[in-house]
Amino acid sequence: MTGELLELTESAPGPFFRFANRAAWLTAARTAGFMTTVTDDDGNKSEQLQSYTHSHAIDVVGIITEGGEWDKEGVEIVAPTKLDGYHINYLGTLPTGWEAYTVTPKNPYRVFA
């Protein structure tokens, strides 16, 4: 990770983060040093998120939806509503600037156990 770091000491679930979209999240992850390039056996390179290390844990929730209705066969009757943003749960030392993306949901969609 790069830059000045802040330590979070909350005992409640979270912290929770909402970025504008997936691209904004990936930019923040790259800046924080959470992305790495790997090469497979065929020489193909790809970028991967280091989700879990000795110093942090990242849960990419992504786009959250609520509501919606489906019939018995699973056919959508009423489309669910997409909530704004791209959602991430994170444990560890907070990268600089991430405090601007912190949100406090009343009912978190997913939390670390």
Side-chain angles (χ1 to χ4, degrees), residues 47-103:
E47 186 177 49
Q48 291 187 357
L49 174 65
Q50 295 177 329
S51 299
Y52 301 95
T53 70
H54 68 282
S55 63
H56 71 265
I58 301 170
D59 174 27
V60 179
V61 177
I63 296 171
I64 297 175
T65 61
E66 62 183 11
E69 292 181 34
W70 293 263
D71 67 16
K72 290 186 279 185
E73 288 77 37
V75 176
E76 183 178 275
I77 298 169
V78 177
T81 302
K82 289 183 182 180
L83 300 183
D84 290 338
Y86 197 80
H87 302 264
I88 306 295
N89 296 340
Y90 177 81
L91 294 175
T93 303
L94 188 64
T96 300
W98 280 36
E99 56 277 344
Y101 302 102
T102 303
V103 293

Side-chain angles (χ1 to χ4, degrees), residues 21-67:
N21 51 44
R22 184 174 186 271
W25 149 242
L26 289 172
T27 298
R30 286 184 195 103
T31 301
F34 295 145
M35 302 301 286
T36 188
T37 301
V38 296
T39 305
D40 67 16
D41 292 339
D42 296 326
N44 301 310
K45 293 184 179 186
S46 63
E47 186 177 49
Q48 291 187 357
L49 174 65
Q50 295 177 329
S51 299
Y52 301 95
T53 70
H54 68 282
S55 63
H56 71 265
I58 301 170
D59 174 27
V60 179
V61 177
I63 296 171
I64 297 175
T65 61
E66 62 183 11

